[in-house]
Amino acid sequence: MSIRDLKVGCQTFTWEMLGKNWNGGPDDLLEAIAQGGYAGIEITDTMIGHYADSPNDFAESLQKHGLTLVALAIGSKSGFTVKEEIESDLRTTQRWIDFAAVFSGALVSIGSATVVSEGPRKAKFEIAAEFYNRAGELGKASGVDIALHPSSHHNTLLFDRGDYDRIFSLVDENLVGWVPDTGHLLRGHADMIDTLRTYQDRIRYLHLKDADANGKWAMLGNGGCDTPAVIDIVAAAPGFNGWLVLEEESDTAAADPATAVRTNRETMRRYGA
């Protein structure tokens, strides 16, 4: 796949990370992302707002703004590592699978397993894998692809290469794909490129984010991400759907998210996408 064939979307966590400092709604996000020059959006279950029970209305608003839903990203207070919460988490996952099913090609991206309780770490991998695999079965039955999104945030269970090796040894690649995130990979992996190559067959789409040598978030192109090398690997992945989703968490974005995501879109144009 040529870089010029790739589609560029925007993740809404850039606004979500502002917490109480963000008072807008989903329509404001669509407007900012469309004006930023993006073709698609990945929105979280937190930021979907009043559209949560109205996928058809959301589809109309997307069409109005010229945007495609790339994925609906979800998380859970359980961190997907509490055995007693699996059934509840699966019911919630089915709800969002049903939502995503309205949108052709849209995925459900499930957030990183995290440690929220006491107990052996090994057991938490097994619980998370059970959840991810069962979520994948729900997605397959509904015709919606499921992918997991590891992170490097506080209490993540999926931080370094050893963690990735363990979770991927337990998760069925025929049921659950992977959304690699370059920022999180830079912060947790000695060799991001090797991780991408090793698990290339699992890649469904890509989160592009940057971080400096100290792990501090940076605007795209201002950190350690070798974007052309990453794109070469991802574009050749057999399950890659063509979407690059930019996600910005830097201090620049915290000060002015709309301008930051617009700047990142210009950066991607310089790379040819």
Side-chain angles (χ1 to χ4, degrees), residues 1 6 178-182 185 193 196-197 199-201 203-208 227-245:
M1 183 180 292
L6 303 181
W178 175 36
V179 185
D181 183 301
T182 54
L185 286 166
I193 296 300
L196 288 168
R197 286 182 177 140
Y199 295 111
Q200 185 182 37
D201 288 356
I203 297 171
R204 296 295 175 267
Y205 65 99
L206 177 70
H207 271 197
L208 267 175
T227 300
V230 168
I231 290 175
D232 283 347
I233 295 169
V234 172
F240 177 58
N241 68 3
W243 280 103
L244 309 176
V245 174

PDB file of all heavy atoms in Angstrom, residues 1 6 178-182 185 193 196-197 199-201 203-208 227-245:
ATOM      1  N   MET A   1       0.846  -1.195   0.000  1.00  0.00           N
ATOM      2  CA  MET A   1       0.000   0.000   0.000  1.00  0.00           C
ATOM      3  C   MET A   1       0.884   1.249   0.000  1.00  0.00           C
ATOM      4  O   MET A   1       1.746   1.400   0.858  1.00  0.00           O
ATOM      5  CB  MET A   1      -0.926   0.000   1.226  1.00  0.00           C
ATOM      6  CG  MET A   1      -1.891   1.168   1.281  1.00  0.00           C
ATOM      7  SD  MET A   1      -2.960   1.099   2.752  1.00  0.00           S
ATOM      8  CE  MET A   1      -3.963  -0.336   2.386  1.00  0.00           C
ATOM      9  N   LEU A   6      -2.980   5.946   1.998  1.00  0.00           N
ATOM     10  CA  LEU A   6      -3.361   5.890   3.398  1.00  0.00           C
ATOM     11  C   LEU A   6      -4.344   6.998   3.741  1.00  0.00           C
ATOM     12  O   LEU A   6      -4.318   8.087   3.167  1.00  0.00           O
ATOM     13  CB  LEU A   6      -2.119   5.996   4.283  1.00  0.00           C
ATOM     14  CG  LEU A   6      -1.040   4.937   4.034  1.00  0.00           C
ATOM     15  CD1 LEU A   6       0.111   5.137   4.997  1.00  0.00           C
ATOM     16  CD2 LEU A   6      -1.614   3.539   4.168  1.00  0.00           C
ATOM     17  N   TRP A 178      -4.602  -5.777  16.714  1.00  0.00           N
ATOM     18  CA  TRP A 178      -3.746  -4.885  17.513  1.00  0.00           C
ATOM     19  C   TRP A 178      -3.760  -3.497  16.902  1.00  0.00           C
ATOM     20  O   TRP A 178      -3.643  -3.341  15.685  1.00  0.00           O
ATOM     21  CB  TRP A 178      -2.327  -5.453  17.529  1.00  0.00           C
ATOM     22  CG  TRP A 178      -1.273  -4.608  18.206  1.00  0.00           C
ATOM     23  CD1 TRP A 178      -1.418  -3.827  19.300  1.00  0.00           C
ATOM     24  CD2 TRP A 178       0.106  -4.501  17.820  1.00  0.00           C
ATOM     25  NE1 TRP A 178      -0.225  -3.229  19.631  1.00  0.00           N
ATOM     26  CE2 TRP A 178       0.729  -3.627  18.743  1.00  0.00           C
ATOM     27  CE3 TRP A 178       0.868  -5.055  16.787  1.00  0.00           C
ATOM     28  CZ2 TRP A 178       2.079  -3.292  18.653  1.00  0.00           C
ATOM     29  CZ3 TRP A 178       2.218  -4.729  16.709  1.00  0.00           C
ATOM     30  CH2 TRP A 178       2.807  -3.861  17.629  1.00  0.00           C
ATOM     31  N   VAL A 179      -3.892  -2.499  17.774  1.00  0.00           N
ATOM     32  CA  VAL A 179      -3.708  -1.101  17.378  1.00  0.00           C
ATOM     33  C   VAL A 179      -2.406  -0.617  18.009  1.00  0.00           C
ATOM     34  O   VAL A 179      -2.392  -0.174  19.167  1.00  0.00           O
ATOM     35  CB  VAL A 179      -4.870  -0.198  17.861  1.00  0.00           C
ATOM     36  CG1 VAL A 179      -4.689   1.218  17.315  1.00  0.00           C
ATOM     37  CG2 VAL A 179      -6.213  -0.768  17.456  1.00  0.00           C
ATOM     38  N   PRO A 180      -1.287  -0.738  17.309  1.00  0.00           N
ATOM     39  CA  PRO A 180      -0.034  -0.239  17.883  1.00  0.00           C
ATOM     40  C   PRO A 180      -0.063   1.277  18.000  1.00  0.00           C
ATOM     41  O   PRO A 180      -0.667   1.965  17.166  1.00  0.00           O
ATOM     42  CB  PRO A 180       1.028  -0.693  16.880  1.00  0.00           C
ATOM     43  CG  PRO A 180       0.305  -0.914  15.606  1.00  0.00           C
ATOM     44  CD  PRO A 180      -1.104  -1.296  15.957  1.00  0.00           C
ATOM     45  N   ASP A 181       0.552   1.771  19.039  1.00  0.00           N
ATOM     46  CA  ASP A 181       0.639   3.212  19.286  1.00  0.00           C
ATOM     47  C   ASP A 181       2.115   3.563  19.412  1.00  0.00           C
ATOM     48  O   ASP A 181       2.805   3.099  20.324  1.00  0.00           O
ATOM     49  CB  ASP A 181      -0.114   3.557  20.573  1.00  0.00           C
ATOM     50  CG  ASP A 181      -0.140   5.042  20.875  1.00  0.00           C
ATOM     51  OD1 ASP A 181       0.953   5.637  21.022  1.00  0.00           O
ATOM     52  OD2 ASP A 181      -1.236   5.615  20.988  1.00  0.00           O
ATOM     53  N   THR A 182       2.610   4.366  18.491  1.00  0.00           N
ATOM     54  CA  THR A 182       4.042   4.644  18.450  1.00  0.00           C
ATOM     55  C   THR A 182       4.538   5.356  19.705  1.00  0.00           C
ATOM     56  O   THR A 182       5.663   5.112  20.156  1.00  0.00           O
ATOM     57  CB  THR A 182       4.407   5.471  17.210  1.00  0.00           C
ATOM     58  OG1 THR A 182       3.594   6.660  17.168  1.00  0.00           O
ATOM     59  CG2 THR A 182       4.183   4.665  15.939  1.00  0.00           C
ATOM     60  N   LEU A 185       4.788   2.723  22.432  1.00  0.00           N
ATOM     61  CA  LEU A 185       5.892   1.824  22.105  1.00  0.00           C
ATOM     62  C   LEU A 185       7.239   2.491  22.393  1.00  0.00           C
ATOM     63  O   LEU A 185       8.157   1.855  22.931  1.00  0.00           O
ATOM     64  CB  LEU A 185       5.818   1.410  20.637  1.00  0.00           C
ATOM     65  CG  LEU A 185       4.726   0.403  20.277  1.00  0.00           C
ATOM     66  CD1 LEU A 185       4.533   0.345  18.769  1.00  0.00           C
ATOM     67  CD2 LEU A 185       5.060  -0.981  20.818  1.00  0.00           C
ATOM     68  N   ILE A 193      10.622  -0.793  16.385  1.00  0.00           N
ATOM     69  CA  ILE A 193      10.533  -1.356  15.043  1.00  0.00           C
ATOM     70  C   ILE A 193      10.486  -2.877  15.103  1.00  0.00           C
ATOM     71  O   ILE A 193       9.719  -3.521  14.375  1.00  0.00           O
ATOM     72  CB  ILE A 193      11.718  -0.875  14.183  1.00  0.00           C
ATOM     73  CG1 ILE A 193      11.653   0.660  13.981  1.00  0.00           C
ATOM     74  CG2 ILE A 193      11.719  -1.588  12.834  1.00  0.00           C
ATOM     75  CD1 ILE A 193      10.402   1.153  13.288  1.00  0.00           C
ATOM     76  N   LEU A 196       7.006  -3.990  16.144  1.00  0.00           N
ATOM     77  CA  LEU A 196       6.065  -3.858  15.028  1.00  0.00           C
ATOM     78  C   LEU A 196       6.251  -4.985  14.009  1.00  0.00           C
ATOM     79  O   LEU A 196       5.265  -5.536  13.504  1.00  0.00           O
ATOM     80  CB  LEU A 196       6.241  -2.505  14.355  1.00  0.00           C
ATOM     81  CG  LEU A 196       5.746  -1.294  15.131  1.00  0.00           C
ATOM     82  CD1 LEU A 196       6.254   0.002  14.487  1.00  0.00           C
ATOM     83  CD2 LEU A 196       4.208  -1.274  15.196  1.00  0.00           C
ATOM     84  N   ARG A 197       7.489  -5.312  13.722  1.00  0.00           N
ATOM     85  CA  ARG A 197       7.748  -6.388  12.757  1.00  0.00           C
ATOM     86  C   ARG A 197       7.307  -7.753  13.303  1.00  0.00           C
ATOM     87  O   ARG A 197       6.728  -8.566  12.586  1.00  0.00           O
ATOM     88  CB  ARG A 197       9.234  -6.422  12.402  1.00  0.00           C
ATOM     89  CG  ARG A 197       9.668  -5.289  11.489  1.00  0.00           C
ATOM     90  CD  ARG A 197      11.139  -5.411  11.141  1.00  0.00           C
ATOM     91  NE  ARG A 197      11.550  -4.374  10.202  1.00  0.00           N
ATOM     92  CZ  ARG A 197      12.705  -3.726  10.257  1.00  0.00           C
ATOM     93  NH1 ARG A 197      13.573  -4.016  11.222  1.00  0.00           N
ATOM     94  NH2 ARG A 197      13.009  -2.807   9.366  1.00  0.00           N
ATOM     95  N   TYR A 199       4.989  -8.504  15.432  1.00  0.00           N
ATOM     96  CA  TYR A 199       3.534  -8.685  15.521  1.00  0.00           C
ATOM     97  C   TYR A 199       2.788  -7.976  14.385  1.00  0.00           C
ATOM     98  O   TYR A 199       1.626  -7.597  14.522  1.00  0.00           O
ATOM     99  CB  TYR A 199       3.043  -8.211  16.896  1.00  0.00           C
ATOM    100  CG  TYR A 199       3.596  -9.067  18.007  1.00  0.00           C
ATOM    101  CD1 TYR A 199       4.535  -8.569  18.908  1.00  0.00           C
ATOM    102  CD2 TYR A 199       3.204 -10.402  18.126  1.00  0.00           C
ATOM    103  CE1 TYR A 199       5.059  -9.377  19.913  1.00  0.00           C
ATOM    104  CE2 TYR A 199       3.729 -11.210  19.119  1.00  0.00           C
ATOM    105  CZ  TYR A 199       4.645 -10.694  20.009  1.00  0.00           C
ATOM    106  OH  TYR A 199       5.169 -11.502  20.996  1.00  0.00           O
ATOM    107  N   GLN A 200       3.455  -7.854  13.259  1.00  0.00           N
ATOM    108  CA  GLN A 200       2.899  -7.158  12.095  1.00  0.00           C
ATOM    109  C   GLN A 200       1.563  -7.763  11.646  1.00  0.00           C
ATOM    110  O   GLN A 200       0.650  -7.033  11.256  1.00  0.00           O
ATOM    111  CB  GLN A 200       3.903  -7.211  10.948  1.00  0.00           C
ATOM    112  CG  GLN A 200       3.513  -6.426   9.710  1.00  0.00           C
ATOM    113  CD  GLN A 200       4.570  -6.580   8.613  1.00  0.00           C
ATOM    114  OE1 GLN A 200       5.151  -7.652   8.437  1.00  0.00           O
ATOM    115  NE2 GLN A 200       4.827  -5.506   7.891  1.00  0.00           N
ATOM    116  N   ASP A 201       1.450  -9.080  11.711  1.00  0.00           N
ATOM    117  CA  ASP A 201       0.246  -9.744  11.224  1.00  0.00           C
ATOM    118  C   ASP A 201      -0.993  -9.390  12.047  1.00  0.00           C
ATOM    119  O   ASP A 201      -2.121  -9.623  11.587  1.00  0.00           O
ATOM    120  CB  ASP A 201       0.430 -11.261  11.226  1.00  0.00           C
ATOM    121  CG  ASP A 201       1.377 -11.734  10.133  1.00  0.00           C
ATOM    122  OD1 ASP A 201       1.821 -10.892   9.333  1.00  0.00           O
ATOM    123  OD2 ASP A 201       1.674 -12.937  10.098  1.00  0.00           O
ATOM    124  N   ILE A 203      -1.683  -6.273  13.172  1.00  0.00           N
ATOM    125  CA  ILE A 203      -1.999  -4.844  13.060  1.00  0.00           C
ATOM    126  C   ILE A 203      -3.269  -4.621  12.236  1.00  0.00           C
ATOM    127  O   ILE A 203      -3.405  -5.151  11.131  1.00  0.00           O
ATOM    128  CB  ILE A 203      -0.824  -4.082  12.420  1.00  0.00           C
ATOM    129  CG1 ILE A 203       0.416  -4.168  13.309  1.00  0.00           C
ATOM    130  CG2 ILE A 203      -1.209  -2.618  12.161  1.00  0.00           C
ATOM    131  CD1 ILE A 203       1.677  -3.621  12.661  1.00  0.00           C
ATOM    132  N   ARG A 204      -4.178  -3.800  12.782  1.00  0.00           N
ATOM    133  CA  ARG A 204      -5.408  -3.436  12.071  1.00  0.00           C
ATOM    134  C   ARG A 204      -5.368  -1.977  11.599  1.00  0.00           C
ATOM    135  O   ARG A 204      -5.772  -1.666  10.499  1.00  0.00           O
ATOM    136  CB  ARG A 204      -6.629  -3.656  12.971  1.00  0.00           C
ATOM    137  CG  ARG A 204      -6.838  -5.121  13.340  1.00  0.00           C
ATOM    138  CD  ARG A 204      -7.173  -5.962  12.119  1.00  0.00           C
ATOM    139  NE  ARG A 204      -7.267  -7.387  12.450  1.00  0.00           N
ATOM    140  CZ  ARG A 204      -6.276  -8.250  12.363  1.00  0.00           C
ATOM    141  NH1 ARG A 204      -5.061  -7.854  11.951  1.00  0.00           N
ATOM    142  NH2 ARG A 204      -6.450  -9.514  12.683  1.00  0.00           N
ATOM    143  N   TYR A 205      -4.949  -1.081  12.462  1.00  0.00           N
ATOM    144  CA  TYR A 205      -4.685   0.307  12.080  1.00  0.00           C
ATOM    145  C   TYR A 205      -3.661   0.841  13.061  1.00  0.00           C
ATOM    146  O   TYR A 205      -3.215   0.114  13.952  1.00  0.00           O
ATOM    147  CB  TYR A 205      -5.961   1.158  12.026  1.00  0.00           C
ATOM    148  CG  TYR A 205      -6.677   1.374  13.338  1.00  0.00           C
ATOM    149  CD1 TYR A 205      -6.514   2.550  14.064  1.00  0.00           C
ATOM    150  CD2 TYR A 205      -7.557   0.412  13.841  1.00  0.00           C
ATOM    151  CE1 TYR A 205      -7.197   2.757  15.252  1.00  0.00           C
ATOM    152  CE2 TYR A 205      -8.236   0.609  15.024  1.00  0.00           C
ATOM    153  CZ  TYR A 205      -8.056   1.783  15.731  1.00  0.00           C
ATOM    154  OH  TYR A 205      -8.726   1.987  16.918  1.00  0.00           O
ATOM    155  N   LEU A 206      -3.235   2.081  12.878  1.00  0.00           N
ATOM    156  CA  LEU A 206      -2.101   2.611  13.648  1.00  0.00           C
ATOM    157  C   LEU A 206      -2.452   3.897  14.370  1.00  0.00           C
ATOM    158  O   LEU A 206      -3.107   4.777  13.805  1.00  0.00           O
ATOM    159  CB  LEU A 206      -0.931   2.888  12.695  1.00  0.00           C
ATOM    160  CG  LEU A 206       0.321   3.520  13.316  1.00  0.00           C
ATOM    161  CD1 LEU A 206       1.042   2.530  14.221  1.00  0.00           C
ATOM    162  CD2 LEU A 206       1.272   4.021  12.228  1.00  0.00           C
ATOM    163  N   HIS A 207      -1.999   4.004  15.620  1.00  0.00           N
ATOM    164  CA  HIS A 207      -1.986   5.281  16.333  1.00  0.00           C
ATOM    165  C   HIS A 207      -0.594   5.889  16.182  1.00  0.00           C
ATOM    166  O   HIS A 207       0.395   5.274  16.588  1.00  0.00           O
ATOM    167  CB  HIS A 207      -2.257   5.089  17.826  1.00  0.00           C
ATOM    168  CG  HIS A 207      -3.691   5.128  18.198  1.00  0.00           C
ATOM    169  ND1 HIS A 207      -4.120   5.325  19.487  1.00  0.00           N
ATOM    170  CD2 HIS A 207      -4.808   5.010  17.452  1.00  0.00           C
ATOM    171  CE1 HIS A 207      -5.440   5.309  19.529  1.00  0.00           C
ATOM    172  NE2 HIS A 207      -5.868   5.111  18.301  1.00  0.00           N
ATOM    173  N   LEU A 208      -0.535   7.073  15.629  1.00  0.00           N
ATOM    174  CA  LEU A 208       0.734   7.788  15.510  1.00  0.00           C
ATOM    175  C   LEU A 208       0.810   8.858  16.586  1.00  0.00           C
ATOM    176  O   LEU A 208      -0.047   9.749  16.657  1.00  0.00           O
ATOM    177  CB  LEU A 208       0.861   8.428  14.127  1.00  0.00           C
ATOM    178  CG  LEU A 208       1.568   7.616  13.045  1.00  0.00           C
ATOM    179  CD1 LEU A 208       1.491   8.349  11.712  1.00  0.00           C
ATOM    180  CD2 LEU A 208       3.026   7.360  13.406  1.00  0.00           C
ATOM    181  N   THR A 227       8.746   7.975  11.754  1.00  0.00           N
ATOM    182  CA  THR A 227       7.435   7.807  11.124  1.00  0.00           C
ATOM    183  C   THR A 227       7.500   7.079   9.785  1.00  0.00           C
ATOM    184  O   THR A 227       6.705   6.161   9.541  1.00  0.00           O
ATOM    185  CB  THR A 227       6.737   9.172  10.984  1.00  0.00           C
ATOM    186  OG1 THR A 227       6.568   9.730  12.299  1.00  0.00           O
ATOM    187  CG2 THR A 227       5.372   9.037  10.320  1.00  0.00           C
ATOM    188  N   PRO A 228       8.407   7.425   8.871  1.00  0.00           N
ATOM    189  CA  PRO A 228       8.454   6.688   7.598  1.00  0.00           C
ATOM    190  C   PRO A 228       8.706   5.193   7.777  1.00  0.00           C
ATOM    191  O   PRO A 228       8.092   4.365   7.096  1.00  0.00           O
ATOM    192  CB  PRO A 228       9.602   7.370   6.847  1.00  0.00           C
ATOM    193  CG  PRO A 228       9.654   8.751   7.403  1.00  0.00           C
ATOM    194  CD  PRO A 228       9.335   8.574   8.862  1.00  0.00           C
ATOM    195  N   ALA A 229       9.601   4.827   8.702  1.00  0.00           N
ATOM    196  CA  ALA A 229       9.890   3.411   8.936  1.00  0.00           C
ATOM    197  C   ALA A 229       8.674   2.693   9.495  1.00  0.00           C
ATOM    198  O   ALA A 229       8.364   1.557   9.101  1.00  0.00           O
ATOM    199  CB  ALA A 229      11.079   3.262   9.888  1.00  0.00           C
ATOM    200  N   VAL A 230       7.983   3.343  10.408  1.00  0.00           N
ATOM    201  CA  VAL A 230       6.774   2.759  10.996  1.00  0.00           C
ATOM    202  C   VAL A 230       5.714   2.543   9.917  1.00  0.00           C
ATOM    203  O   VAL A 230       5.100   1.474   9.824  1.00  0.00           O
ATOM    204  CB  VAL A 230       6.225   3.666  12.113  1.00  0.00           C
ATOM    205  CG1 VAL A 230       4.822   3.225  12.526  1.00  0.00           C
ATOM    206  CG2 VAL A 230       7.155   3.661  13.315  1.00  0.00           C
ATOM    207  N   ILE A 231       5.500   3.556   9.093  1.00  0.00           N
ATOM    208  CA  ILE A 231       4.472   3.454   8.055  1.00  0.00           C
ATOM    209  C   ILE A 231       4.798   2.344   7.068  1.00  0.00           C
ATOM    210  O   ILE A 231       3.904   1.604   6.627  1.00  0.00           O
ATOM    211  CB  ILE A 231       4.290   4.803   7.348  1.00  0.00           C
ATOM    212  CG1 ILE A 231       3.636   5.811   8.309  1.00  0.00           C
ATOM    213  CG2 ILE A 231       3.443   4.655   6.083  1.00  0.00           C
ATOM    214  CD1 ILE A 231       3.508   7.207   7.754  1.00  0.00           C
ATOM    215  N   ASP A 232       6.067   2.186   6.732  1.00  0.00           N
ATOM    216  CA  ASP A 232       6.461   1.111   5.814  1.00  0.00           C
ATOM    217  C   ASP A 232       6.047  -0.259   6.358  1.00  0.00           C
ATOM    218  O   ASP A 232       5.542  -1.109   5.616  1.00  0.00           O
ATOM    219  CB  ASP A 232       7.976   1.132   5.587  1.00  0.00           C
ATOM    220  CG  ASP A 232       8.421   2.230   4.631  1.00  0.00           C
ATOM    221  OD1 ASP A 232       7.536   2.802   3.952  1.00  0.00           O
ATOM    222  OD2 ASP A 232       9.623   2.509   4.571  1.00  0.00           O
ATOM    223  N   ILE A 233       6.273  -0.476   7.648  1.00  0.00           N
ATOM    224  CA  ILE A 233       5.930  -1.759   8.257  1.00  0.00           C
ATOM    225  C   ILE A 233       4.419  -1.941   8.332  1.00  0.00           C
ATOM    226  O   ILE A 233       3.879  -2.989   7.949  1.00  0.00           O
ATOM    227  CB  ILE A 233       6.540  -1.860   9.671  1.00  0.00           C
ATOM    228  CG1 ILE A 233       8.066  -1.872   9.590  1.00  0.00           C
ATOM    229  CG2 ILE A 233       6.029  -3.106  10.397  1.00  0.00           C
ATOM    230  CD1 ILE A 233       8.748  -1.696  10.934  1.00  0.00           C
ATOM    231  N   VAL A 234       3.739  -0.915   8.789  1.00  0.00           N
ATOM    232  CA  VAL A 234       2.288  -1.021   8.979  1.00  0.00           C
ATOM    233  C   VAL A 234       1.561  -1.160   7.648  1.00  0.00           C
ATOM    234  O   VAL A 234       0.620  -1.953   7.512  1.00  0.00           O
ATOM    235  CB  VAL A 234       1.778   0.198   9.770  1.00  0.00           C
ATOM    236  CG1 VAL A 234       0.253   0.224   9.818  1.00  0.00           C
ATOM    237  CG2 VAL A 234       2.352   0.185  11.186  1.00  0.00           C
ATOM    238  N   ALA A 235       1.993  -0.399   6.654  1.00  0.00           N
ATOM    239  CA  ALA A 235       1.326  -0.437   5.347  1.00  0.00           C
ATOM    240  C   ALA A 235       1.429  -1.804   4.693  1.00  0.00           C
ATOM    241  O   ALA A 235       0.592  -2.159   3.857  1.00  0.00           O
ATOM    242  CB  ALA A 235       1.905   0.632   4.432  1.00  0.00           C
ATOM    243  N   ALA A 236       2.446  -2.583   5.074  1.00  0.00           N
ATOM    244  CA  ALA A 236       2.627  -3.918   4.507  1.00  0.00           C
ATOM    245  C   ALA A 236       1.945  -5.008   5.333  1.00  0.00           C
ATOM    246  O   ALA A 236       1.983  -6.182   4.959  1.00  0.00           O
ATOM    247  CB  ALA A 236       4.118  -4.230   4.388  1.00  0.00           C
ATOM    248  N   ALA A 237       1.323  -4.629   6.442  1.00  0.00           N
ATOM    249  CA  ALA A 237       0.655  -5.617   7.294  1.00  0.00           C
ATOM    250  C   ALA A 237      -0.574  -6.171   6.582  1.00  0.00           C
ATOM    251  O   ALA A 237      -1.374  -5.412   6.038  1.00  0.00           O
ATOM    252  CB  ALA A 237       0.253  -4.975   8.619  1.00  0.00           C
ATOM    253  N   PRO A 238      -0.769  -7.485   6.582  1.00  0.00           N
ATOM    254  CA  PRO A 238      -1.871  -8.080   5.825  1.00  0.00           C
ATOM    255  C   PRO A 238      -3.258  -7.686   6.297  1.00  0.00           C
ATOM    256  O   PRO A 238      -4.206  -7.677   5.505  1.00  0.00           O
ATOM    257  CB  PRO A 238      -1.638  -9.587   5.985  1.00  0.00           C
ATOM    258  CG  PRO A 238      -0.787  -9.723   7.208  1.00  0.00           C
ATOM    259  CD  PRO A 238       0.079  -8.500   7.227  1.00  0.00           C
ATOM    260  N   GLY A 239      -3.386  -7.337   7.597  1.00  0.00           N
ATOM    261  CA  GLY A 239      -4.694  -6.965   8.121  1.00  0.00           C
ATOM    262  C   GLY A 239      -4.904  -5.475   8.285  1.00  0.00           C
ATOM    263  O   GLY A 239      -5.924  -5.040   8.836  1.00  0.00           O
ATOM    264  N   PHE A 240      -3.953  -4.674   7.804  1.00  0.00           N
ATOM    265  CA  PHE A 240      -4.031  -3.212   7.957  1.00  0.00           C
ATOM    266  C   PHE A 240      -5.139  -2.644   7.070  1.00  0.00           C
ATOM    267  O   PHE A 240      -5.237  -2.974   5.895  1.00  0.00           O
ATOM    268  CB  PHE A 240      -2.685  -2.607   7.586  1.00  0.00           C
ATOM    269  CG  PHE A 240      -2.629  -1.104   7.624  1.00  0.00           C
ATOM    270  CD1 PHE A 240      -2.936  -0.413   8.787  1.00  0.00           C
ATOM    271  CD2 PHE A 240      -2.253  -0.381   6.501  1.00  0.00           C
ATOM    272  CE1 PHE A 240      -2.875   0.978   8.827  1.00  0.00           C
ATOM    273  CE2 PHE A 240      -2.178   1.000   6.527  1.00  0.00           C
ATOM    274  CZ  PHE A 240      -2.488   1.681   7.697  1.00  0.00           C
ATOM    275  N   ASN A 241      -5.969  -1.776   7.651  1.00  0.00           N
ATOM    276  CA  ASN A 241      -7.124  -1.250   6.914  1.00  0.00           C
ATOM    277  C   ASN A 241      -6.884   0.104   6.244  1.00  0.00           C
ATOM    278  O   ASN A 241      -7.795   0.693   5.677  1.00  0.00           O
ATOM    279  CB  ASN A 241      -8.355  -1.161   7.817  1.00  0.00           C
ATOM    280  CG  ASN A 241      -8.231  -0.109   8.922  1.00  0.00           C
ATOM    281  OD1 ASN A 241      -7.241   0.618   9.005  1.00  0.00           O
ATOM    282  ND2 ASN A 241      -9.229  -0.047   9.785  1.00  0.00           N
ATOM    283  N   GLY A 242      -5.635   0.617   6.347  1.00  0.00           N
ATOM    284  CA  GLY A 242      -5.310   1.854   5.643  1.00  0.00           C
ATOM    285  C   GLY A 242      -5.407   3.118   6.467  1.00  0.00           C
ATOM    286  O   GLY A 242      -5.090   4.203   5.968  1.00  0.00           O
ATOM    287  N   TRP A 243      -5.798   3.008   7.734  1.00  0.00           N
ATOM    288  CA  TRP A 243      -5.986   4.207   8.560  1.00  0.00           C
ATOM    289  C   TRP A 243      -4.793   4.475   9.478  1.00  0.00           C
ATOM    290  O   TRP A 243      -4.364   3.608  10.242  1.00  0.00           O
ATOM    291  CB  TRP A 243      -7.236   4.077   9.423  1.00  0.00           C
ATOM    292  CG  TRP A 243      -8.508   4.362   8.690  1.00  0.00           C
ATOM    293  CD1 TRP A 243      -9.412   3.448   8.220  1.00  0.00           C
ATOM    294  CD2 TRP A 243      -9.028   5.656   8.347  1.00  0.00           C
ATOM    295  NE1 TRP A 243     -10.450   4.088   7.604  1.00  0.00           N
ATOM    296  CE2 TRP A 243     -10.244   5.435   7.666  1.00  0.00           C
ATOM    297  CE3 TRP A 243      -8.584   6.960   8.544  1.00  0.00           C
ATOM    298  CZ2 TRP A 243     -11.027   6.483   7.180  1.00  0.00           C
ATOM    299  CZ3 TRP A 243      -9.354   8.002   8.060  1.00  0.00           C
ATOM    300  CH2 TRP A 243     -10.564   7.772   7.389  1.00  0.00           C
ATOM    301  N   LEU A 244      -4.290   5.699   9.405  1.00  0.00           N
ATOM    302  CA  LEU A 244      -3.353   6.249  10.379  1.00  0.00           C
ATOM    303  C   LEU A 244      -4.152   7.198  11.262  1.00  0.00           C
ATOM    304  O   LEU A 244      -4.728   8.167  10.762  1.00  0.00           O
ATOM    305  CB  LEU A 244      -2.228   7.026   9.686  1.00  0.00           C
ATOM    306  CG  LEU A 244      -1.465   6.340   8.562  1.00  0.00           C
ATOM    307  CD1 LEU A 244      -0.471   7.314   7.940  1.00  0.00           C
ATOM    308  CD2 LEU A 244      -0.751   5.098   9.071  1.00  0.00           C
ATOM    309  N   VAL A 245      -4.195   6.925  12.535  1.00  0.00           N
ATOM    310  CA  VAL A 245      -4.951   7.778  13.457  1.00  0.00           C
ATOM    311  C   VAL A 245      -3.965   8.547  14.318  1.00  0.00           C
ATOM    312  O   VAL A 245      -3.177   7.954  15.064  1.00  0.00           O
ATOM    313  CB  VAL A 245      -5.906   6.941  14.331  1.00  0.00           C
ATOM    314  CG1 VAL A 245      -6.583   7.823  15.380  1.00  0.00           C
ATOM    315  CG2 VAL A 245      -6.965   6.259  13.460  1.00  0.00           C
TER     316      VAL A 245
END
